[in-house]
Amino acid sequence: MNLLLVGISHRTAPVDLRERVDFQVRGVADALRSVAGRGSTREAVVVSTCNRAEVYVACDDAAATRADLVAFLSEFHGVQASDLAPHLYDVHGLDAARHLFRVAGGLDSLVVGEPQILGQVKDAHTAAAEAQTVGPVLNRLFHSSFAVGKRVRTETGLGSGAVSVSYAAASLAKKIFGDLRGRSVAVVGAGEMGKLTALHMKSHGVHAVTIVSRTMAHAARTAEAIGGASASPWDELDTVLGAADIVITATGAATPILTRSHVEAVMRPRRNRPLFIIDIAVPRDVDPAAGEIEQVFLYNIDDLQATVRENLARRSSEVARAEAIVGEEVERFGAWFRSRGAIPTVVALRQRFEDIRRAELERLDFKLSTLTPDARARVDEITHLIVEKLLLTPTEQLKSIGDSDTVEAYAEALSRLFDLTEPPVARGTQPAELRGGKVEAFPRNRSRSPR
Amino acid sequence: MINAVPLALYAGALVAYAWHFAQRNPIVGRSASTLLIAAALAHTFVIGMQTMEAGHVPVGGATSAISTFVWLLALAYLYTEMTTDERAMGVFILPLLVALQAIPAIRPGVEDRAAVLQGPLFGVHVSSLLFAYASFALACVIGITYVLLFKEIKAKHLGFFYARLPSLQVLDRMNQRAIVIGWVFLTIGMIVGAIWALQARGGYAAGDPRVQAMSLQDPKIFVALVCWFVYSFELFAARRIGWGGRRAAYLSAVGFAIVLLNFVPISYFLTKSHNF
């Protein structure tokens, strides 16, 4: 059994190609059915986000399956294989596991450490489970990747800290006010930047947004664009500021519109209720000295960008810790995956022993026929137990081997010693494997019934 | 030395809380809480044992009062931790618990209750004040964390505390609540104490010099009154003149510093009326 991944991502393909290879268009379930229908794979999961389209499969012949998957991608999306080929990557074996673990941990994301990807990987697994295209190998692989995602989130700072200006502003507001629900926002200036920041605050649940602009018509238009916001004329600026918890200034004014004494005057009737001023205008709208007033928190665009840079730097310093977690989990998964190499041998060995037992019982049938049915059943049971006992230790030993070379050597030796020439597990007899390599013993009720 | 068992557990919890605060590992956090719960349970057991031994709750002497105060503060902190799901404060509370619990661990045994200390009013007096002090300790710690976070946000350097503490608003509200509760119990404790002293002075304890010394001239009583004024001002200032936030946090710290002064050095060395 081999692991294989074929896909494209933001690292290899431009956005227009990624859009054409987006599985969401026709649906992941459709894609999974289509992959499974081609017969080159045993198990398949499709991971599809706006930044990546990846097909993870468990297969027998990696090279042939790779070619088949490329053909599938090209046919399914109606994209020329020659257009696709330079942007595709294929990863084999444990490297495919490492790739998935890095994806789930947010290490392969456009913005390192972004939290959505783990949910998307989980969705991919759920979709494949519903389409019944996952088996023991990919099940184990994906559950290990969830563990990686969870460990990276809880054990490293990879996902912490805001990495965009508007997100940084919102998280600062939350650190000052706690819950943003019930808070009110005033936007001074009717420009695009102010509108975007206000929209972001709104998505965090602030209850009122008021736009103030020198031109009332502009304010009204922006308020309408935000939806559920109100507009106020310029001469009501102080009233609006007095009522607001968060003020976003984004005018095109050449000189500060809010001086220190102006803000002081606004603060007096507030009885020191905190005021968070976000000055995203360039040149600045608020005199920096206003930030010295007790309970006034003033951040301008440079301050916000500095915190974003700090967070990005902190994230990149956490990358090594996250990579270490990925390495540990690849190791763990690898040990399990390699031990699976022993399963066909185990199955063949058990089959061999069982065949011998059955043959001997049949050969001695004429002697046993004088026994009562009860005694015959007992003979059957005892011989079965002897075989089980003989096989127990070798089975456990084989399964506990952690590296594939040793597994191969043992398998080779056992095949020679016990003449296990027949292909142990034919294609399509996978259910035997699913039961953990146990071949159900010689059907006992059959040996019990002949009279 | 029976008080050393909770002391060791408090110390263990302190290490775990500090580790959790630095690393933010949820498993360490849960172990820290578990250790503190174990410490509080052990402490409950110790106080229970002493109660049975002495036949009364051991709050009569300064040392036993400190032990009971530590126990109450641990319970009050555990209550806040469980209701707010916020472990960041532990690393600030635990040093206080460990430092104060060291006193009963070094001076073992329960002081014999002075004969004059009797009646239900005396019990109300002591337990109200201990509970008030525990609330003020919490308020002080919350205030300190408020100032730490406030300074980081003001300085635009969002670092260690920014990532670990709850929001300023939450800290401010927790501080106010702790002050209100503390103030109510401080007021009750002082009034009840005064009533008890008046009754005792005119009645069965007329001959006891300590009861006779119970007046505003006694440092312990005087400083307690100063505390009451500080916290009353804080409550008034927060509501009337907008002294919330950082100023309230500083006042909480000042108030508790006075409480601590009254609780340990004054109790042991200066007071003439409360040296039982």
Side-chain angles (χ1 to χ4, degrees):
Chain A
M1 184 83 76
N2 226 318
L3 268 179
L4 173 66
L5 144 70
V6 176
I8 65 166
S9 77
H10 62 97
R11 291 192 192 281
T12 62
V15 65
D16 58 318
L17 185 69
R18 294 207 305 273
E19 277 166 7
R20 286 163 67 198
V21 190
D22 188 353
F23 282 103
Q24 311 288 358
V25 180
R26 277 179 61 189
V28 171
D30 216 7
L32 287 166
R33 264 194 300 278
S34 183
V35 173
R38 300 177 79 92
S40 65
T41 64
R42 283 170 172 249
E43 304 175 23
V45 176
V46 169
V47 175
S48 170
T49 74
C50 54
N51 284 325
R52 71 181 68 247
E54 292 175 339
V55 186
Y56 291 84
V57 300
C59 59
D60 292 317
D61 181 351
T65 308
R66 185 199 172 278
D68 189 49
L69 285 179
V70 175
F72 156 74
L73 285 171
S74 143
E75 285 162 29
F76 189 78
H77 296 293
V79 180
Q80 287 282 314
S82 57
D83 289 352
L84 211 49
H87 303 287
L88 277 178
Y89 46 79
D90 57 289
V91 189
H92 299 252
L94 288 184
D95 288 338
R98 180 178 300 276
H99 183 96
L100 177 65
F101 292 177
R102 293 188 77 249
V103 167
L107 284 162
D108 200 49
S109 297
L110 192 58
V111 177
V112 172
E114 58 102 359
Q116 283 97 333
I117 185 68
L118 182 58
Q120 289 163 332
V121 172
K122 282 184 177 165
D123 290 346
H125 174 259
T126 310
E130 276 165 11
Q132 294 179 331
T133 62
V134 276
V137 176
L138 289 190
N139 234 333
R140 175 86 179 208
L141 178 72
F142 274 76
H143 278 112
S144 303
S145 81
F146 306 157
V148 172
K150 196 171 168 218
R151 284 190 62 193
V152 167
R153 202 172 50 210
T154 55
E155 293 173 28
T156 77
L158 195 71
S160 67
V163 288
S164 76
V165 166
S166 54
Y167 194 87
S171 65
L172 260 168
K174 278 189 186 162
K175 249 324 181 234
I176 295 168
F177 296 111
D179 202 346
L180 291 190
R181 275 172 297 181
R183 300 289 165 184
S184 53
V185 174
V187 183
V188 185
E192 194 62 17
M193 273 296 279
K195 188 179 96 183
L196 287 177
T197 314
L199 272 172
H200 197 83
M201 290 287 176
K202 206 152 190 289
S203 73
H204 283 273
V206 297
H207 96 119
V209 177
T210 310
I211 318 283
V212 189
S213 172
R214 286 197 196 275
T215 323
M216 184 59 190
H218 289 170
R221 202 169 54 226
T222 308
E224 202 175 306
I226 290 173
S230 58
S232 283
W234 190 257
D235 50 8
E236 280 177 23
L237 178 64
D238 285 9
T239 324
V240 172
L241 294 183
D245 297 298
I246 300 161
V247 174
I248 301 162
T249 61
T251 74
T255 52
I257 52 163
L258 288 177
T259 60
R260 185 190 162 124
S261 54
H262 192 163
V263 178
E264 262 170 357
V266 167
M267 286 305 285
R268 220 162 287 134
R270 297 168 64 94
R271 284 196 193 143
N272 279 313
R273 193 156 52 87
L275 180 67
F276 180 31
I277 306 177
I278 306 160
D279 183 2
I280 51 176
V282 179
R284 286 173 294 188
D285 274 341
V286 186
D287 177 8
E292 291 159 16
I293 302 168
E294 184 79 25
Q295 296 296 333
V296 171
F297 302 92
L298 170 63
Y299 274 70
N300 63 38
I301 188 82
D302 283 358
D303 302 331
L304 291 174
Q305 265 158 1
T307 71
V308 166
R309 270 197 303 278
E310 252 175 57
N311 288 339
L312 281 172
R314 199 172 312 133
R315 278 190 182 193
S316 60
S317 73
E318 293 291 307
V319 164
R321 291 174 68 187
E323 293 281 9
I325 291 173
V326 168
E328 279 169 32
E329 294 291 334
V330 168
E331 197 67 27
R332 192 174 298 173
F333 176 78
W336 175 82
F337 188 63
R338 281 187 293 265
S339 76
R340 281 182 54 84
I343 285 175
T345 312
V346 169
V347 172
L349 193 62
R350 289 174 156 264
Q351 191 65 54
R352 184 97 188 121
F353 274 51
E354 188 58 32
D355 287 348
I356 293 169
R357 186 180 80 93
R358 249 160 70 179
E360 285 308 293
L361 281 175
E362 265 164 38
R363 199 169 62 80
L364 297 174
D365 198 37
F366 69 96
K367 284 190 180 169
L368 296 175
S369 59
T370 56
L371 297 176
T372 63
D374 244 20
R376 284 176 57 137
R378 190 55 53 85
V379 169
D380 181 60
E381 201 177 316
I382 290 169
T383 52
H384 174 74
L385 281 176
I386 291 171
V387 168
E388 284 287 311
K389 280 266 158 64
L390 284 172
L391 282 173
L392 184 66
T393 317
T395 307
E396 279 174 353
Q397 291 291 332
L398 264 178
K399 282 187 170 176
S400 68
I401 299 170
D403 84 292
S404 47
D405 285 348
T406 317
V407 168
E408 233 166 77
Y410 273 60
E412 176 67 28
L414 283 169
S415 300
R416 291 245 190 115
L417 286 173
F418 292 100
D419 193 22
L420 309 174
T421 41
E422 297 241 334
V425 194
R427 286 284 297 273
T429 55
Q430 221 182 341
E433 254 179 81
L434 285 169
R435 290 198 302 265
K438 254 193 196 142
V439 171
E440 199 32 68
F442 178 56
R444 265 180 273 173
N445 46 357
R446 230 184 70 197
S447 70
R448 211 173 277 185
S449 51
R451 359 197 103 170
Chain B
M1 284 315 281
I2 194 167
N3 267 305
V5 177
L7 175 64
L9 285 165
Y10 284 127
L14 169 60
V15 172
Y17 272 103
W19 187 9
H20 170 65
F21 194 71
Q23 297 287 330
R24 280 178 293 171
N25 184 333
I27 299 162
V28 177
R30 276 195 291 277
S31 334
S33 301
T34 312
L35 270 172
L36 183 54
I37 290 170
L41 283 177
H43 206 164
T44 311
F45 181 72
V46 167
I47 291 175
M49 288 280 285
Q50 292 175 335
T51 307
M52 290 205 291
E53 216 173 284
H56 56 86
V57 182
V59 289
T63 308
S64 335
I66 288 171
S67 172
T68 309
F69 165 77
V70 169
W71 178 70
L72 276 173
L73 180 54
L75 292 183
Y77 167 73
L78 277 172
Y79 171 76
T80 4
E81 180 181 299
M82 281 164 186
T83 47
T84 58
D85 203 21
E86 185 54 68
R87 283 201 180 86
M89 234 67 75
V91 71
F92 300 93
I93 285 280
L94 263 297
L96 188 65
L97 294 183
V98 172
L100 286 178
Q101 181 63 17
I103 298 174
I106 294 166
R107 296 168 144 244
V110 183
E111 300 92 337
D112 288 330
R113 184 165 67 168
V116 292
L117 302 179
Q118 49 180 271
L121 286 183
F122 169 72
V124 173
H125 166 69
V126 176
S127 47
S128 301
L129 286 179
L130 287 179
F131 193 76
Y133 293 171
S135 300
F136 291 143
L138 268 183
C140 165
V141 164
I142 294 164
I144 290 169
T145 57
Y146 181 97
V147 172
L148 291 171
L149 179 59
F150 183 93
K151 286 197 164 156
E152 277 200 353
I153 296 180
K154 268 277 189 185
K156 296 170 186 176
H157 181 76
L158 310 179
F160 195 72
F161 298 109
Y162 186 83
R164 286 164 176 82
L165 293 175
S167 69
L168 289 177
Q169 169 76 20
V170 166
L171 290 173
D172 196 29
R173 213 178 287 156
M174 284 166 78
N175 176 277
Q176 292 292 322
R177 202 184 302 163
I179 295 291
V180 169
I181 293 172
W183 185 86
V184 168
F185 280 94
L186 179 64
T187 311
I188 293 173
M190 286 172 67
I191 292 172
V192 169
I195 295 171
W196 178 88
L198 286 178
Q199 285 179 354
R201 192 179 296 176
Y204 54 85
D208 193 308
R210 291 173 297 198
V211 176
Q212 297 307 325
M214 282 175 187
S215 73
L216 284 181
Q217 269 97 53
D218 184 75
K220 178 115 181 164
I221 296 172
F222 178 74
V223 174
L225 201 64
V226 170
C227 273
W228 187 86
F229 277 112
V230 169
Y231 286 112
S232 302
F233 174 73
E234 182 176 343
L235 286 179
F236 163 80
R239 276 161 183 70
R240 288 292 152 158
I241 51 177
W243 268 39
R246 187 161 61 147
R247 293 189 181 111
Y250 280 137
L251 276 179
S252 311
V254 170
F256 186 65
I258 302 173
V259 166
L260 214 51
L261 187 77
N262 208 11
F263 198 45
V264 184
I266 291 184
S267 285
Y268 279 111
F269 307 118
L270 293 176
T271 181
K272 291 189 176 61
S273 69
H274 278 68
N275 48 350
F276 292 104

